[in-house]
Amino acid sequence: MSSSASPQSAQILTEEQGLTFPPGFVWGASTAAYQIEGGVHEGGRSASIWDTFSHTPGRVLHGHTGDVACDHYHRYRDDVKLMAELGLKAYRLSVAWPRIQPDGTGPANQAGLDFYRALVDELLEHGIEPWVTLYHWDLPQALEDAGGWPVRDTAHRFAEYAELTQRALGDRVRHWITLNEPWCSAFLGYGSGTHAPGRTDPPAAIRAAHHLMLGHGFATQALRAAAPDHEVGVTLNLYAVSPQTDSPGDADAARRIDGLANRFFLDPILRGSYPADVVADLAGVTDFGHVRDGDLEVVATPMSFLGINYYSRHVVAAPIEGVEPEPYWRAQSSWPGSEQVRFVTRGVPVTDMNWEIDAPGLVEVLQMVHRNYPELPLYITENGSAFVDEVVDGEVDDVDRVAYFDAHLRACHTAITSGVPLRGYFAWSLLDNFEWAWGYTKRFGMVYVDYDSQLRIPKSSAKWYTEVIRRNGLAAQ
Protein backbone atom coordinates (compact mmCIF):
# COMPACT_ATOMS: atom_id res chain seq x y z
CA MET A 1 0.00 0.00 0.00
CA SER A 2 1.31 3.45 -0.82
CA SER A 3 1.83 5.92 1.99
CA SER A 4 -0.88 8.24 0.74
CA ALA A 5 -4.39 7.51 -0.41
CA SER A 6 -5.52 8.97 -3.71
CA PRO A 7 -9.20 9.71 -4.36
CA GLN A 8 -9.26 6.58 -6.51
CA SER A 9 -7.86 4.39 -3.73
CA ALA A 10 -10.32 5.95 -1.31
CA GLN A 11 -13.12 4.77 -3.58
CA ILE A 12 -11.70 1.26 -3.41
CA LEU A 13 -11.59 1.44 0.38
CA THR A 14 -15.19 2.59 0.78
CA GLU A 15 -18.09 0.54 -0.54
CA GLU A 16 -21.83 0.87 -0.17
CA GLN A 17 -21.83 -2.50 1.59
CA GLY A 18 -19.36 -1.29 4.23
CA LEU A 19 -15.73 -0.30 4.59
CA THR A 20 -12.97 -2.30 2.95
CA PHE A 21 -9.34 -2.14 4.08
CA PRO A 22 -6.35 -2.19 1.72
CA PRO A 23 -5.17 -5.51 0.27
CA GLY A 24 -2.59 -7.10 2.54
CA PHE A 25 -3.80 -5.29 5.66
CA VAL A 26 -2.55 -7.32 8.65
CA TRP A 27 -5.24 -8.62 11.00
CA GLY A 28 -4.00 -9.96 14.32
CA ALA A 29 -4.29 -10.10 18.08
CA SER A 30 -1.78 -9.46 20.85
CA THR A 31 -0.82 -10.97 24.21
CA ALA A 32 2.09 -10.68 26.66
CA ALA A 33 4.12 -13.46 28.22
CA TYR A 34 3.63 -12.73 31.92
CA GLN A 35 -0.08 -12.12 31.42
CA ILE A 36 -0.84 -15.51 29.87
CA GLU A 37 2.00 -18.04 30.12
CA GLY A 38 2.17 -19.22 33.72
CA GLY A 39 4.77 -21.95 34.20
CA VAL A 40 6.92 -19.44 36.02
CA HIS A 41 9.12 -22.10 37.65
CA GLU A 42 9.40 -24.38 34.61
CA GLY A 43 11.89 -24.77 31.79
CA GLY A 44 14.68 -22.96 33.59
CA ARG A 45 12.82 -19.67 33.86
CA SER A 46 13.96 -17.35 36.64
CA ALA A 47 12.01 -14.67 38.48
CA SER A 48 11.08 -11.44 36.74
CA ILE A 49 10.29 -8.14 38.40
CA TRP A 50 6.59 -8.98 37.96
CA ASP A 51 7.00 -12.23 39.88
CA THR A 52 8.57 -10.31 42.73
CA PHE A 53 6.06 -7.46 42.54
CA SER A 54 2.96 -9.67 42.39
CA HIS A 55 4.16 -11.74 45.36
CA THR A 56 4.68 -8.60 47.45
CA PRO A 57 1.60 -8.07 49.67
CA GLY A 58 -0.49 -5.08 48.68
CA ARG A 59 0.98 -4.61 45.22
CA VAL A 60 -1.62 -6.49 43.14
CA LEU A 61 -5.34 -6.55 43.80
CA HIS A 62 -6.44 -9.58 45.86
CA GLY A 63 -2.85 -10.84 45.89
CA HIS A 64 -3.20 -12.25 42.37
CA THR A 65 -0.04 -13.41 40.58
CA GLY A 66 0.95 -14.63 37.15
CA ASP A 67 2.08 -18.01 38.44
CA VAL A 68 -0.56 -19.85 36.40
CA ALA A 69 -2.30 -17.07 34.43
CA CYS A 70 -3.92 -18.68 31.35
CA ASP A 71 -1.54 -21.65 31.49
CA HIS A 72 -0.53 -20.86 27.91
CA TYR A 73 2.86 -22.45 28.61
CA HIS A 74 1.13 -25.84 28.60
CA ARG A 75 -1.86 -25.04 26.39
CA TYR A 76 -0.22 -23.12 23.55
CA ARG A 77 -1.12 -25.72 20.92
CA ASP A 78 -4.82 -25.46 21.75
CA ASP A 79 -4.55 -21.67 21.86
CA VAL A 80 -2.94 -21.56 18.42
CA LYS A 81 -5.65 -23.84 17.08
CA LEU A 82 -8.19 -21.39 18.49
CA MET A 83 -6.38 -18.48 16.78
CA ALA A 84 -6.62 -20.33 13.49
CA GLU A 85 -10.33 -21.00 14.00
CA LEU A 86 -10.83 -17.28 14.59
CA GLY A 87 -9.07 -16.53 11.31
CA LEU A 88 -6.12 -14.56 12.71
CA LYS A 89 -3.46 -13.80 10.13
CA ALA A 90 -0.86 -12.60 12.65
CA TYR A 91 -0.18 -13.02 16.35
CA ARG A 92 1.83 -10.59 18.43
CA LEU A 93 3.41 -12.47 21.33
CA SER A 94 6.10 -11.45 23.76
CA VAL A 95 9.15 -13.46 24.72
CA ALA A 96 9.88 -13.65 28.44
CA TRP A 97 13.43 -12.44 28.99
CA PRO A 98 13.88 -14.62 32.15
CA ARG A 99 13.00 -17.71 30.10
CA ILE A 100 15.77 -16.92 27.62
CA GLN A 101 18.39 -15.48 30.00
CA PRO A 102 17.50 -16.33 33.59
CA ASP A 103 20.15 -13.97 34.98
CA GLY A 104 19.75 -11.33 32.28
CA THR A 105 23.19 -12.11 30.92
CA GLY A 106 25.23 -15.03 29.67
CA PRO A 107 24.29 -17.87 27.32
CA ALA A 108 20.72 -18.61 26.34
CA ASN A 109 18.60 -21.10 28.26
CA GLN A 110 17.89 -23.74 25.63
CA ALA A 111 14.68 -24.97 27.30
CA GLY A 112 13.27 -21.46 27.07
CA LEU A 113 14.25 -21.13 23.44
CA ASP A 114 12.72 -24.53 22.71
CA PHE A 115 9.37 -23.36 24.06
CA TYR A 116 9.29 -20.36 21.75
CA ARG A 117 10.56 -22.38 18.80
CA ALA A 118 7.69 -24.81 19.31
CA LEU A 119 5.17 -21.97 19.69
CA VAL A 120 6.38 -20.22 16.54
CA ASP A 121 6.39 -23.48 14.59
CA GLU A 122 2.80 -24.11 15.67
CA LEU A 123 1.79 -20.64 14.49
CA LEU A 124 3.46 -21.08 11.10
CA GLU A 125 1.87 -24.50 10.61
CA HIS A 126 -1.52 -22.82 11.04
CA GLY A 127 -0.70 -20.00 8.63
CA ILE A 128 -0.31 -17.35 11.35
CA GLU A 129 2.58 -14.89 11.11
CA PRO A 130 4.45 -14.41 14.42
CA TRP A 131 5.27 -10.87 15.52
CA VAL A 132 7.65 -11.08 18.47
CA THR A 133 7.92 -8.42 21.16
CA LEU A 134 11.21 -8.75 23.00
CA TYR A 135 10.30 -6.76 26.11
CA HIS A 136 6.81 -6.60 27.57
CA TRP A 137 7.85 -5.55 31.08
CA ASP A 138 9.28 -8.79 32.52
CA LEU A 139 12.84 -7.71 33.37
CA PRO A 140 14.85 -10.52 35.00
CA GLN A 141 14.93 -9.81 38.73
CA ALA A 142 18.70 -10.26 38.68
CA LEU A 143 19.04 -7.18 36.48
CA GLU A 144 16.72 -5.17 38.72
CA ASP A 145 18.87 -6.19 41.66
CA ALA A 146 21.80 -4.71 39.74
CA GLY A 147 19.94 -1.41 39.31
CA GLY A 148 17.35 -2.10 36.63
CA TRP A 149 16.54 0.24 33.78
CA PRO A 150 17.87 3.35 35.56
CA VAL A 151 21.32 1.79 35.09
CA ARG A 152 22.92 2.15 31.67
CA ASP A 153 24.27 -1.40 31.57
CA THR A 154 20.72 -2.78 31.28
CA ALA A 155 20.48 -1.31 27.78
CA HIS A 156 23.52 -3.32 26.71
CA ARG A 157 22.19 -6.48 28.35
CA PHE A 158 18.92 -6.01 26.43
CA ALA A 159 20.75 -5.83 23.10
CA GLU A 160 22.58 -9.08 23.90
CA TYR A 161 19.29 -10.76 24.78
CA ALA A 162 17.73 -9.50 21.53
CA GLU A 163 20.62 -10.94 19.53
CA LEU A 164 20.36 -14.31 21.30
CA THR A 165 16.64 -14.50 20.64
CA GLN A 166 16.95 -13.60 16.98
CA ARG A 167 19.74 -16.12 16.52
CA ALA A 168 17.36 -18.83 17.76
CA LEU A 169 14.13 -17.70 16.09
CA GLY A 170 15.27 -15.60 13.15
CA ASP A 171 14.81 -18.43 10.66
CA ARG A 172 11.11 -18.43 11.62
CA VAL A 173 10.37 -14.84 12.73
CA ARG A 174 10.64 -11.80 10.46
CA HIS A 175 8.81 -9.15 12.50
CA TRP A 176 10.36 -7.85 15.72
CA ILE A 177 9.19 -5.28 18.26
CA THR A 178 11.89 -4.22 20.70
CA LEU A 179 9.88 -2.64 23.53
CA ASN A 180 6.27 -2.44 24.54
CA GLU A 181 5.22 0.91 26.01
CA PRO A 182 8.45 2.23 27.52
CA TRP A 183 6.36 5.02 29.13
CA CYS A 184 4.75 2.40 31.38
CA SER A 185 8.02 0.64 32.15
CA ALA A 186 9.69 3.89 33.17
CA PHE A 187 7.00 6.08 34.69
CA LEU A 188 4.77 3.44 36.29
CA GLY A 189 7.63 1.16 37.27
CA TYR A 190 10.04 3.75 38.65
CA GLY A 191 7.92 6.90 39.05
CA SER A 192 4.56 6.10 40.61
CA GLY A 193 5.53 2.57 41.64
CA THR A 194 2.15 1.20 40.52
CA HIS A 195 3.88 -1.31 38.25
CA ALA A 196 6.92 -3.51 38.81
CA PRO A 197 9.46 -2.98 40.20
CA GLY A 198 7.41 -0.59 42.31
CA ARG A 199 9.96 2.17 42.84
CA THR A 200 9.00 5.81 43.43
CA ASP A 201 11.98 7.79 42.22
CA PRO A 202 11.19 10.35 39.48
CA PRO A 203 14.85 10.98 38.51
CA ALA A 204 15.31 7.21 38.18
CA ALA A 205 12.19 7.08 35.99
CA ILE A 206 13.72 9.62 33.58
CA ARG A 207 16.96 7.64 33.45
CA ALA A 208 14.97 4.43 32.92
CA ALA A 209 13.11 5.97 29.99
CA HIS A 210 16.39 6.98 28.35
CA HIS A 211 18.01 3.60 28.87
CA LEU A 212 14.93 1.79 27.58
CA MET A 213 15.15 3.83 24.38
CA LEU A 214 18.91 3.32 24.24
CA GLY A 215 18.35 -0.42 24.61
CA HIS A 216 15.83 -0.21 21.77
CA GLY A 217 18.46 1.45 19.59
CA PHE A 218 21.19 -1.05 20.43
CA ALA A 219 18.79 -3.96 19.88
CA THR A 220 17.58 -2.55 16.57
CA GLN A 221 21.16 -2.29 15.37
CA ALA A 222 21.89 -5.86 16.43
CA LEU A 223 18.75 -7.26 14.84
CA ARG A 224 19.29 -5.45 11.56
CA ALA A 225 22.95 -6.37 11.38
CA ALA A 226 22.05 -10.04 11.73
CA ALA A 227 19.10 -9.97 9.31
CA PRO A 228 18.81 -6.80 7.19
CA ASP A 229 15.60 -8.04 5.57
CA HIS A 230 13.75 -8.44 8.89
CA GLU A 231 11.28 -5.79 10.01
CA VAL A 232 12.11 -4.10 13.32
CA GLY A 233 10.07 -1.52 15.21
CA VAL A 234 9.01 -0.35 18.65
CA THR A 235 5.57 0.00 20.25
CA LEU A 236 4.58 3.23 22.02
CA ASN A 237 1.37 3.90 23.94
CA LEU A 238 0.14 7.21 22.54
CA TYR A 239 -2.76 9.43 23.55
CA ALA A 240 -4.85 12.19 22.11
CA VAL A 241 -4.39 15.03 24.62
CA SER A 242 -6.86 17.89 24.88
CA PRO A 243 -7.15 20.97 27.13
CA GLN A 244 -10.39 21.26 29.08
CA THR A 245 -10.84 24.85 27.85
CA ASP A 246 -9.03 27.20 25.49
CA SER A 247 -7.42 29.06 28.40
CA PRO A 248 -3.62 29.50 28.32
CA GLY A 249 -3.28 27.49 31.54
CA ASP A 250 -5.20 24.51 30.17
CA ALA A 251 -3.28 24.73 26.90
CA ASP A 252 -0.02 24.54 28.84
CA ALA A 253 -1.32 21.55 30.80
CA ALA A 254 -2.08 19.77 27.52
CA ARG A 255 1.37 20.66 26.19
CA ARG A 256 2.99 19.18 29.31
CA ILE A 257 1.09 15.89 29.23
CA ASP A 258 1.42 15.50 25.47
CA GLY A 259 5.11 16.10 25.99
CA LEU A 260 5.56 13.37 28.61
CA ALA A 261 3.11 10.87 27.14
CA ASN A 262 3.92 11.23 23.45
CA ARG A 263 6.77 13.50 22.38
CA PHE A 264 9.24 12.39 25.08
CA PHE A 265 9.45 9.06 23.22
CA LEU A 266 8.51 9.97 19.65
CA ASP A 267 11.10 12.73 19.32
CA PRO A 268 14.20 10.76 20.42
CA ILE A 269 13.23 7.63 18.50
CA LEU A 270 12.12 9.35 15.28
CA ARG A 271 14.05 12.66 15.38
CA GLY A 272 17.10 11.92 17.51
CA SER A 273 16.42 14.66 20.06
CA TYR A 274 14.46 15.29 23.23
CA PRO A 275 11.74 17.98 22.97
CA ALA A 276 13.21 21.18 24.41
CA ASP A 277 10.04 22.16 26.26
CA VAL A 278 9.85 18.80 28.05
CA VAL A 279 13.52 19.04 29.02
CA ALA A 280 12.70 22.45 30.52
CA ASP A 281 9.67 21.03 32.35
CA LEU A 282 11.94 18.38 33.88
CA ALA A 283 14.70 20.77 34.96
CA GLY A 284 13.73 20.34 38.60
CA VAL A 285 13.88 16.55 38.27
CA THR A 286 17.01 15.88 36.22
CA ASP A 287 19.78 17.68 34.36
CA PHE A 288 19.89 14.91 31.71
CA GLY A 289 23.48 14.23 32.65
CA HIS A 290 22.81 10.54 31.98
CA VAL A 291 22.55 11.27 28.23
CA ARG A 292 25.97 10.69 26.68
CA ASP A 293 27.36 11.86 23.37
CA GLY A 294 26.11 9.60 20.60
CA ASP A 295 23.21 8.18 22.60
CA LEU A 296 20.49 9.88 20.62
CA GLU A 297 21.96 8.73 17.33
CA VAL A 298 21.66 5.17 18.66
CA VAL A 299 18.11 5.76 19.92
CA ALA A 300 17.12 7.06 16.46
CA THR A 301 18.47 4.04 14.58
CA PRO A 302 16.13 3.73 11.56
CA MET A 303 13.20 1.34 12.00
CA SER A 304 10.92 -0.53 9.62
CA PHE A 305 7.69 0.53 11.32
CA LEU A 306 6.17 2.11 14.41
CA GLY A 307 3.68 0.23 16.58
CA ILE A 308 1.01 2.30 18.32
CA ASN A 309 -1.08 1.20 21.30
CA TYR A 310 -4.19 3.34 21.71
CA TYR A 311 -6.84 3.15 24.41
CA SER A 312 -8.16 6.59 25.32
CA ARG A 313 -7.77 10.36 25.43
CA HIS A 314 -6.36 12.57 28.17
CA VAL A 315 -8.33 15.75 28.90
CA VAL A 316 -6.34 18.00 31.22
CA ALA A 317 -6.55 21.35 32.95
CA ALA A 318 -4.29 23.78 34.76
CA PRO A 319 -3.75 23.35 38.49
CA ILE A 320 -5.93 25.35 40.87
CA GLU A 321 -3.91 27.22 43.46
CA GLY A 322 -4.28 25.69 46.89
CA VAL A 323 -6.21 22.66 45.57
CA GLU A 324 -4.51 19.29 45.25
CA PRO A 325 -5.38 17.42 42.04
CA GLU A 326 -7.61 14.40 42.51
CA PRO A 327 -5.83 11.05 42.28
CA TYR A 328 -5.55 9.89 38.70
CA TRP A 329 -5.67 6.23 37.70
CA ARG A 330 -1.99 6.25 36.81
CA ALA A 331 -1.07 8.29 39.91
CA GLN A 332 0.20 11.84 39.71
CA SER A 333 3.82 10.84 40.27
CA SER A 334 3.68 9.21 36.84
CA TRP A 335 4.06 12.75 35.47
CA PRO A 336 7.33 14.11 36.90
CA GLY A 337 7.60 17.86 36.70
CA SER A 338 3.89 18.16 35.94
CA GLU A 339 2.34 16.52 38.99
CA GLN A 340 -0.14 19.34 39.54
CA VAL A 341 -1.84 19.02 36.16
CA ARG A 342 -5.48 18.00 36.61
CA PHE A 343 -6.93 15.09 34.61
CA VAL A 344 -10.56 15.85 33.82
CA THR A 345 -13.41 13.39 33.33
CA ARG A 346 -16.07 14.44 30.83
CA GLY A 347 -18.99 12.18 31.70
CA VAL A 348 -18.66 10.18 28.49
CA PRO A 349 -18.94 6.36 28.36
CA VAL A 350 -16.02 4.50 29.92
CA THR A 351 -14.69 0.95 29.97
CA ASP A 352 -14.36 -1.18 33.09
CA MET A 353 -10.93 0.40 33.55
CA ASN A 354 -12.71 3.76 33.81
CA TRP A 355 -10.95 4.84 30.61
CA GLU A 356 -13.04 7.14 28.44
CA ILE A 357 -14.05 5.67 25.08
CA ASP A 358 -12.82 8.05 22.39
CA ALA A 359 -12.40 6.55 18.91
CA PRO A 360 -11.86 9.95 17.18
CA GLY A 361 -8.75 10.30 19.33
CA LEU A 362 -7.23 7.38 17.43
CA VAL A 363 -7.60 9.30 14.18
CA GLU A 364 -5.90 12.29 15.83
CA VAL A 365 -2.99 10.18 17.05
CA LEU A 366 -2.41 8.49 13.70
CA GLN A 367 -2.60 11.75 11.78
CA MET A 368 -0.34 13.50 14.30
CA VAL A 369 2.38 10.88 13.94
CA HIS A 370 2.10 10.86 10.15
CA ARG A 371 2.14 14.68 9.98
CA ASN A 372 4.93 15.44 12.45
CA TYR A 373 7.43 12.63 12.05
CA PRO A 374 9.37 10.96 9.23
CA GLU A 375 7.33 8.78 6.94
CA LEU A 376 7.04 5.31 8.43
CA PRO A 377 4.56 2.44 8.13
CA LEU A 378 2.30 2.32 11.19
CA TYR A 379 0.57 -0.58 12.92
CA ILE A 380 -1.98 -0.57 15.72
CA THR A 381 -0.28 -3.10 17.97
CA GLU A 382 -2.87 -2.86 20.77
CA ASN A 383 -6.40 -1.54 20.93
CA GLY A 384 -9.14 -2.97 23.11
CA SER A 385 -11.35 -2.60 26.13
CA ALA A 386 -12.20 -4.19 29.46
CA PHE A 387 -15.84 -4.78 30.29
CA VAL A 388 -17.64 -6.94 32.85
CA ASP A 389 -18.32 -10.19 31.00
CA GLU A 390 -20.76 -12.88 32.05
CA VAL A 391 -21.19 -16.42 30.82
CA VAL A 392 -24.87 -17.09 30.09
CA ASP A 393 -25.83 -20.53 28.74
CA GLY A 394 -22.23 -21.09 27.69
CA GLU A 395 -21.98 -17.83 25.72
CA VAL A 396 -20.46 -14.40 26.36
CA ASP A 397 -22.31 -11.67 24.49
CA ASP A 398 -19.91 -8.72 24.90
CA VAL A 399 -21.80 -6.18 22.82
CA ASP A 400 -19.93 -3.22 24.36
CA ARG A 401 -16.59 -4.64 23.23
CA VAL A 402 -17.94 -5.24 19.72
CA ALA A 403 -19.05 -1.60 19.59
CA TYR A 404 -15.63 -0.48 20.85
CA PHE A 405 -13.76 -2.47 18.21
CA ASP A 406 -16.13 -1.35 15.47
CA ALA A 407 -15.74 2.35 16.32
CA HIS A 408 -11.96 2.15 16.50
CA LEU A 409 -11.62 0.21 13.27
CA ARG A 410 -13.77 2.83 11.58
CA ALA A 411 -11.33 5.38 12.98
CA CYS A 412 -8.47 3.38 11.44
CA HIS A 413 -10.26 3.44 8.11
CA THR A 414 -10.77 7.20 8.33
CA ALA A 415 -7.05 7.64 8.98
CA ILE A 416 -6.12 5.45 6.02
CA THR A 417 -8.36 7.38 3.64
CA SER A 418 -6.72 10.62 4.86
CA GLY A 419 -3.31 9.30 3.77
CA VAL A 420 -1.97 7.65 6.93
CA PRO A 421 0.17 4.57 6.06
CA LEU A 422 -1.57 2.26 8.52
CA ARG A 423 -0.72 -1.33 7.58
CA GLY A 424 -2.34 -3.49 10.24
CA TYR A 425 -4.34 -3.88 13.44
CA PHE A 426 -3.74 -6.15 16.43
CA ALA A 427 -6.66 -6.42 18.83
CA TRP A 428 -5.95 -6.46 22.55
CA SER A 429 -6.32 -9.10 23.64
CA LEU A 430 -6.75 -12.61 22.40
CA LEU A 431 -7.43 -13.95 25.91
CA ASP A 432 -8.65 -12.63 29.21
CA ASN A 433 -5.51 -12.51 31.33
CA PHE A 434 -3.56 -11.17 34.30
CA GLU A 435 -4.13 -7.43 34.06
CA TRP A 436 -1.03 -6.29 35.94
CA ALA A 437 -1.84 -4.49 39.23
CA TRP A 438 -5.55 -5.27 38.68
CA GLY A 439 -4.88 -9.01 38.75
CA TYR A 440 -7.68 -11.08 37.23
CA THR A 441 -10.41 -8.52 37.91
CA LYS A 442 -10.38 -6.90 34.45
CA ARG A 443 -11.16 -8.77 31.25
CA PHE A 444 -9.83 -7.49 27.91
CA GLY A 445 -10.03 -10.73 25.94
CA MET A 446 -12.01 -11.66 22.87
CA VAL A 447 -11.89 -15.13 24.40
CA TYR A 448 -13.26 -15.66 27.90
CA VAL A 449 -11.00 -17.62 30.25
CA ASP A 450 -12.37 -19.47 33.27
CA TYR A 451 -9.30 -19.23 35.49
CA ASP A 452 -10.32 -22.24 37.60
CA SER A 453 -10.90 -24.69 34.76
CA GLN A 454 -8.90 -22.86 32.03
CA LEU A 455 -11.88 -23.29 29.73
CA ARG A 456 -11.78 -20.92 26.73
CA ILE A 457 -15.05 -19.46 25.40
CA PRO A 458 -14.89 -17.23 22.30
CA LYS A 459 -17.01 -14.16 23.00
CA SER A 460 -19.29 -12.41 20.52
CA SER A 461 -16.40 -10.02 19.82
CA ALA A 462 -14.22 -12.91 18.67
CA LYS A 463 -16.88 -14.12 16.26
CA TRP A 464 -17.40 -10.54 15.05
CA TYR A 465 -13.65 -10.09 14.50
CA THR A 466 -13.53 -13.34 12.52
CA GLU A 467 -16.05 -11.85 10.11
CA VAL A 468 -14.08 -8.59 9.89
CA ILE A 469 -10.98 -10.55 8.91
CA ARG A 470 -12.90 -12.68 6.42
CA ARG A 471 -14.27 -9.67 4.56
CA ASN A 472 -11.17 -7.48 5.16
CA GLY A 473 -13.48 -4.77 6.39
CA LEU A 474 -16.55 -3.66 8.23
CA ALA A 475 -20.21 -4.04 7.49
CA ALA A 476 -22.31 -0.99 6.75
CA GLN A 477 -23.70 0.74 9.82
Side-chain angles (χ1 to χ4, degrees), residues 24 42 112 121 139 195 200 236 238 244 256-257 260 265 304 334 354 373 387 398 423 438 461 471:
E42 299 185 51
D121 285 347
L139 185 71
H195 275 194
T200 53
L236 304 178
L238 302 180
Q244 183 183 28
R256 284 174 171 271
I257 298 307
L260 281 172
F265 296 92
S304 312
S334 303
N354 204 33
Y373 294 94
F387 290 105
D398 56 337
R423 305 291 178 81
W438 291 97
S461 59
R471 66 183 296 159

Side-chain angles (χ1 to χ4, degrees), residues 205-429:
I206 302 301
R207 296 196 305 275
H210 180 72
H211 295 144
L212 280 154
M213 289 187 279
L214 187 64
H216 152 75
F218 285 142
T220 300
Q221 291 177 349
L223 293 168
R224 308 222 52 184
D229 60 328
H230 285 192
E231 301 230 320
V232 183
V234 68
T235 280
L236 304 178
N237 53 310
L238 302 180
Y239 291 84
V241 181
S242 303
Q244 183 183 28
T245 72
D246 58 3
S247 72
D250 288 0
D252 186 65
R255 178 198 62 77
R256 284 174 171 271
I257 298 307
D258 172 64
L260 281 172
N262 298 330
R263 294 181 287 114
F264 191 71
F265 296 92
L266 286 167
D267 278 21
I269 290 172
L270 297 178
R271 289 179 173 170
S273 62
Y274 280 108
D277 64 313
V278 180
V279 172
D281 292 341
L282 291 168
V285 181
T286 179
D287 62 2
F288 282 84
H290 55 277
V291 180
R292 299 183 184 177
D293 289 345
D295 278 6
L296 289 168
E297 287 81 0
V298 174
V299 170
T301 298
M303 302 185 299
S304 312
F305 63 89
L306 174 67
I308 295 173
N309 292 355
Y310 177 83
Y311 289 97
S312 189
R313 177 189 298 273
H314 293 320
V315 180
V316 296
I320 299 175
E321 189 173 353
V323 178
E324 287 294 313
E326 293 186 14
Y328 177 54
W329 69 273
R330 289 198 191 277
Q332 295 298 328
S333 51
S334 303
W335 305 99
S338 296
E339 292 90 347
Q340 297 306 308
V341 169
R342 293 184 296 129
F343 286 79
V344 179
T345 56
R346 298 175 291 167
V348 302
V350 298
T351 68
D352 193 39
M353 296 292 292
N354 204 33
W355 300 348
E356 293 187 350
I357 299 171
D358 195 314
L362 177 53
V363 182
E364 291 179 30
V365 164
L366 290 168
Q367 291 178 339
M368 175 273 290
V369 172
H370 181 54
R371 179 175 64 249
N372 294 335
Y373 294 94
E375 182 103 344
L376 199 63
L378 306 178
Y379 291 86
I380 300 300
T381 41
E382 286 182 28
N383 176 238
S385 54
F387 290 105
V388 177
D389 297 319
E390 296 183 3
V391 180
V392 179
D393 296 329
E395 301 284 338
V396 181
D397 189 17
D398 56 337
V399 293
D400 289 338
R401 187 172 291 105
V402 170
Y404 182 99
F405 280 137
D406 184 82
H408 285 78
L409 282 173
R410 291 181 190 278
C412 289
H413 189 274
T414 297
I416 292 170
T417 57
S418 75
V420 173
L422 181 63
R423 305 291 178 81
Y425 178 93
F426 290 78
W428 184 270
S429 176

Side-chain angles (χ1 to χ4, degrees), residues 59-105:
R59 291 297 201 178
V60 175
L61 197 62
H62 303 316
H64 292 169
T65 74
D67 288 2
V68 176
C70 304
D71 197 32
H72 178 74
Y73 185 76
H74 299 108
R75 300 170 186 267
Y76 71 89
R77 291 185 180 86
D78 289 339
D79 287 340
V80 172
K81 181 180 178 183
L82 179 57
M83 295 178 211
E85 291 170 353
L86 296 179
L88 295 184
K89 305 302 181 186
Y91 173 53
R92 178 181 168 235
L93 64 133
S94 81
V95 172
W97 191 346
R99 272 199 206 286
I100 304 302
Q101 274 187 316
D103 295 324
T105 187

